[in-house]
Amino acid sequence: ALPISSALPTLIVAGEQDKMFLPVAKALHEGISNSRLLKFPATGHMVNMEQPERFNQELQQFLRELT
């Protein structure tokens, strides 16, 4: 894991079928102290295009929690 100290909340989004990026997303999550990993089932690399409604809902929720 890459140890990254971040005071800022970080949202990491990955599709569970994205074989290339999912391991990177997991490593980022483990290395960034204030992060949340959001995995989308039955989704590949283009999460925001494959599941736009859920992606937008989750992103809006994350942003609401910042205010």
Side-chain angles (χ1 to χ4, degrees):
L2 305 169
I4 301 170
S5 177
S6 175
L8 299 175
T10 304
L11 179 63
I12 302 166
V13 179
E16 287 185 348
Q17 293 179 345
D18 187 347
K19 302 300 182 203
M20 296 288 286
F21 183 68
L22 185 56
V24 175
K26 289 178 180 178
L28 286 170
H29 175 57
E30 291 172 7
I32 300 174
S33 59
N34 196 13
S35 69
R36 179 186 316 166
L37 175 58
L38 182 58
K39 294 184 283 185
F40 282 66
T43 306
H45 185 71
M46 301 184 76
V47 176
N48 61 323
M49 295 181 77
E50 293 179 48
Q51 294 194 35
E53 290 179 17
R54 180 173 175 219
F55 175 84
N56 288 337
Q57 183 180 31
E58 296 285 357
L59 180 58
Q60 289 173 356
Q61 178 62 34
F62 176 77
L63 294 173
R64 274 193 294 274
E65 292 171 8
L66 298 178
T67 59

